[in-house]
Amino acid sequence: ANCGRGDVWGDSITPLECAFLDGAANLELPEVWHNPGDRGPWYGHPDVIAEWLPRSGTRNPIASARDDSAPK
C-alpha cells in the first residue's frame, strides 16, 4: 500500500498514515519491518509477535494448543 508520496514514515512497505485507522487501537512498533531480512526484526519474528499479539485481543494459537493439551 502507498499514499502516493515518498516522504512519509512507515515500515518500508506501508506508510503509517495508511496503516493507522481512525477509532482503532493502533500500535506502532519502532524498528520493526514489514519483511523478514529487512533492516531489523519483522512482524512475524517470535519476539515481535510476543509484543503485538497480546495487544490484538487474539489468542496465540500455538500457546492455546499447548494450554489445551495440558493435563487438567
Side-chain angles (χ1 to χ4, degrees):
N2 68 54
C3 61
R5 297 188 359 245
D7 62 342
V8 296
W9 288 101
D11 64 3
S12 77
I13 301 291
T14 305
L16 285 177
E17 65 186 57
C18 293
F20 285 180
L21 303 173
D22 290 337
N26 296 300
L27 174 64
E28 181 180 350
L29 300 171
E31 303 303 320
V32 175
W33 303 96
H34 201 91
N35 294 322
D38 279 351
R39 293 162 272 226
W42 74 295
Y43 299 116
H45 187 279
D47 292 342
V48 178
I49 292 172
E51 187 172 345
W52 63 256
L53 187 65
R55 300 176 191 194
S56 74
T58 304
R59 288 178 38 170
N60 181 335
I62 295 169
S64 296
R66 282 191 219 126
D67 293 344
D68 293 342
S69 65
K72 308 279 186 224

